[in-house]
Amino acid sequence: MTGNSEIQFMRRALFLARTKARHTSPNPSVGAVLVKSGRIVGEGVTQPFGGAHAEVMALKKAGARAKGATLFVTLEPCCHHGKTPPCAKSVIQAGVKKVIAAMEDPFPLVKGKGFSLLEKSGILVKKGLFQKEAEKLNPFFFYSARHGRPWVILKSAISRDGKIAPPPGKSKWITGAAARRKVHEIRARVDAILVGSKTAKEDNPSLTVRLPGFRRNDGWPLRVLLDSTLKGSKNLKLFRGKPSAVIFTSLTAPRAKEKALRKLGIQVFRVPLIKKMLSLKAVLKILQSLQVRSLLVEGGGEIHSSFLGEKLVNELVLFISPKILGGKALSWKGKNGIENLEHVKGLKEASFNQVGGDFMLTGRL
């Protein structure tokens, strides 16, 4: 097989992973192409979480033709048993003679072990073809695997003068319908959405994806509430549906309220208080253990301020309305704002686009 052929088939695998795989998290989106005698005999992508991985889908389509074939795959085949059996073993059993992978899987349970298993079975392994392109396919998964916490996106809709909402009790939409649709598109690509108890009480958000074709069958994204005293109402919209919300509270919150919430099927986790705020690092650590690879922080202002102040934000999304609220309207960074500007880094890869009658500022911190 010539170098040009290898490039062609790996590009096909990358295309499949980028365009055909959906709702795979907490697994990565992967594309796989089986080639024999210069022709594609099978191809596949990772199925929604709990379903078959890309390599297995390609092997099923190839059938007996997989024997002696070359597998092009955008990520190292897994070697551990999760929701599905190890892909590396399936590749070996099918009689594949060579595996060309774009990159090593940084997930600790794999990380080179899949390649090693293939090589010990006599399969030729080549890696690194289009690695940079493969890295772009799963930024949330790779960050989570390498850093041990979810990728955090902080989202807010603000007025031109930096206000998040009118005074308490007078909450209403700041941005228009186009911007709100864009928010649902962002929600559809994350694993969890987080709000604080004040936002939950004032706005009573559902924290769901309500765009046709974007909803996941498993009920994710997970809805996350920070409530240090468990004073929030059990009738909040975010508690409705499956799976139920996850609540983080303090070590001193009433045990009786925790018990009542658990009876409703709601998970409750206790974390320490740091400067009267729940430990966000502890929250992220627990969310990581729940297989949350990406977290969208929607509010409110004090929570925004805390995430920014502790340098826990990876990506910022601001929807900016031309309206001016002024007066006693609430700031998107909380009443205290950011005390030390050294805690806030400038935006990288920033973009500023018009969305309907509003504007969207995005960038990485």
Side-chain angles (χ1 to χ4, degrees), residues 145-343:
R146 289 167 177 152
H147 297 273
R149 72 167 179 86
W151 178 274
V152 175
I153 303 171
L154 191 152
K155 188 278 300 182
S156 187
I158 64 174
S159 62
R160 197 172 72 181
D161 55 343
K163 304 296 184 177
I164 194 173
K170 299 181 180 180
S171 179
K172 63 179 181 179
W173 292 112
I174 293 178
T175 54
R180 296 199 295 273
R181 177 184 170 85
K182 184 65 69 173
V183 170
H184 282 275
E185 291 179 10
I186 297 170
R187 285 181 176 183
R189 67 185 182 95
V190 299
D191 291 336
I193 307 169
L194 181 149
V195 295
S197 56
K198 290 181 182 178
T199 297
K201 180 181 178 181
E202 291 292 332
D203 298 345
N204 196 15
S206 299
L207 302 186
T208 55
V209 179
R210 297 187 291 279
L211 285 180
F214 283 83
R215 299 187 189 109
R216 287 177 58 157
N217 293 330
D218 57 9
W220 278 39
L222 203 62
R223 287 151 287 166
V224 181
L225 175 65
L226 301 188
D227 186 350
S228 60
T229 61
L230 294 182
K231 288 183 178 179
S233 169
K234 293 185 290 186
N235 297 318
L236 291 173
K237 290 180 181 178
L238 63 87
F239 293 149
R240 301 173 187 172
K242 300 275 185 180
S244 296
V246 174
I247 298 179
F248 289 92
T249 191
S250 66
L251 303 176
T252 58
R255 295 285 173 180
K257 290 188 176 181
E258 177 185 347
K259 187 177 180 180
L261 289 166
R262 289 188 180 277
K263 283 184 177 179
L264 297 175
I266 299 167
Q267 296 185 76
V268 181
F269 296 95
R270 293 177 179 266
V271 297
L273 284 172
I274 298 177
K275 295 181 180 180
K276 298 182 180 180
M277 287 287 294
L278 296 174
S279 169
L280 298 181
K281 290 182 179 179
V283 167
L284 292 179
K285 185 175 181 180
I286 292 172
L287 288 176
Q288 172 83 356
S289 72
L290 297 177
Q291 301 192 76
V292 170
R293 310 297 185 212
S294 54
L295 173 68
L296 177 64
V297 178
E298 291 209 358
E302 297 303 320
I303 288 174
H304 288 166
S305 176
S306 296
F307 268 95
L308 287 167
E310 293 191 36
K311 300 180 182 179
L312 295 175
V313 177
N314 300 97
E315 186 176 348
L316 180 67
V317 178
L318 281 182
F319 292 93
I320 305 170
S321 165
K323 300 172 184 175
I324 295 177
L325 298 183
K328 297 181 180 179
L330 305 176
S331 168
W332 75 277
K333 298 185 300 302
K335 60 185 179 181
N336 296 322
I338 303 297
E339 294 180 2
N340 190 343
L341 287 177
E342 293 179 359
H343 292 168

Side-chain angles (χ1 to χ4, degrees), residues 26-52:
N27 290 332
S29 297
V30 177
V33 175
L34 273 167
V35 178
K36 191 172 185 178
S37 301
R39 294 184 177 182
I40 295 176
V41 294
E43 58 184 30
V45 297
T46 310
Q47 299 301 293
F49 183 56

